[in-house]
């Protein structure tokens, strides 16, 4: 009984293979040949360069869904390669944050702080706003620290 089942299973698989068009069969043969070539040229583990990845990604698209998951390169692996490729091409230089205050603004802050020692950085911010320079109080505090001028918040020393 078991022998009859095995014979029937082989005949059914052969009929399914005969019913497929030649394009997926050719793609499967090319994928298998490329995988064997990769395995032969590596010692402990297959190392794929960009050409191997491109060939396998292009050929795997033409395989039936049932055969895609049983390759050295699964669909998830191809998607991961694509995400890495896109991430590498879409990288931009990382900027360190906001641009520093200009030299003109720094000189104005220094002048206002030294001429009016009782003013805090919020008062200096208001005076700069009156003459048309919009700058935050925390930037004024940072500039005053860099200039080593003692800070005051609302008239009280810090």
């Amino acid at each position: 009984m078991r022998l009859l089942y095995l014979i029937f299973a082989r005949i059914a698989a052969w009929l399914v293979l005969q019913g497929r068009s030649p394009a997926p069969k050719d793609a499967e043969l090319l994928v298998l040949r490329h995988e064997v070539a990769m395995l032969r040229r590596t010692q402990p583990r297959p190392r794929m360069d960009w050409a191997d990845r491109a060939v396998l990604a292009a050929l795997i698209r033409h395989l039936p869904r049932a055969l895609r998951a049983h390759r050295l390169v699964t669909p998830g692996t191809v998607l991961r390669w694509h995400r890495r490729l896109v991430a590498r091409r879409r990288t931009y230089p990382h900027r360190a944050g906001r641009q520093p205050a200009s030299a003109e603004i720094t000189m104005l802050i220094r002048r206002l702080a030294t001429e009016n020692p009782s003013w805090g950085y919020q008062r200096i911010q208001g005076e700069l706003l009156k003459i048309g320079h919009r700058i935050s109080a925390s930037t004024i505090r940072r500039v005053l620290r860099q200039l080593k001028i003692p800070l005051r918040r609302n008239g009280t020393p810090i």
Side-chain angles (χ1 to χ4, degrees):
M1 191 67 166
R2 183 167 186 241
L3 181 64
L4 287 174
Y5 171 74
L6 291 174
I7 291 172
F8 178 74
R10 291 290 177 190
I11 290 173
W14 182 75
L15 288 174
V16 169
L17 190 61
Q18 291 299 319
R20 283 180 23 197
S21 65
K25 287 190 268 187
D26 293 341
E28 184 179 3
L29 285 174
L30 288 173
V31 168
L32 288 172
R33 285 180 182 164
H34 194 76
E35 286 178 350
V36 167
M38 282 185 348
L39 290 172
R40 281 188 180 156
R41 72 172 181 245
T42 58
Q43 288 86 16
R45 180 171 175 230
R47 297 275 181 205
M48 292 178 253
D49 60 352
W50 67 270
D52 291 329
R53 292 177 179 162
V55 168
L56 287 174
L59 289 175
I60 286 176
R61 290 182 53 228
H62 300 289
L63 291 178
R65 281 193 184 274
L67 296 176
R68 288 182 191 174
H70 302 292
R71 305 274 57 91
L72 284 178
V73 179
T74 61
T77 306
V78 174
L79 289 174
R80 187 178 69 241
W81 290 344
H82 186 262
R83 280 193 301 270
R84 284 183 187 166
L85 179 68
V86 169
R88 260 187 272 138
R89 291 196 49 97
R90 302 280 185 207
T91 56
Y92 299 101
H94 297 292
R95 300 209 171 132
R98 290 185 183 178
Q99 295 178 352
S102 67
E104 175 190 355
I105 298 288
T106 304
M107 286 182 0
L108 278 172
I109 293 171
R110 170 185 271 165
R111 183 175 171 194
L112 288 172
T114 53
E115 291 177 2
N116 306 293
S118 64
W119 288 3
Y121 49 83
Q122 292 175 338
R123 173 78 184 266
I124 294 173
Q125 177 192 17
E127 294 299 322
L128 287 173
L129 194 58
K130 287 179 188 176
I131 59 174
H133 295 287
R134 187 168 180 229
I135 190 164
S136 70
S138 61
T139 302
I140 294 170
R141 184 178 66 228
R142 188 171 47 250
V143 168
L144 290 176
R145 276 190 185 153
Q146 288 173 353
L147 297 173
K148 306 232 183 323
I149 297 174
L151 303 177
R152 297 179 69 84
R153 182 182 304 154
N154 296 331
T156 59
I158 293 181

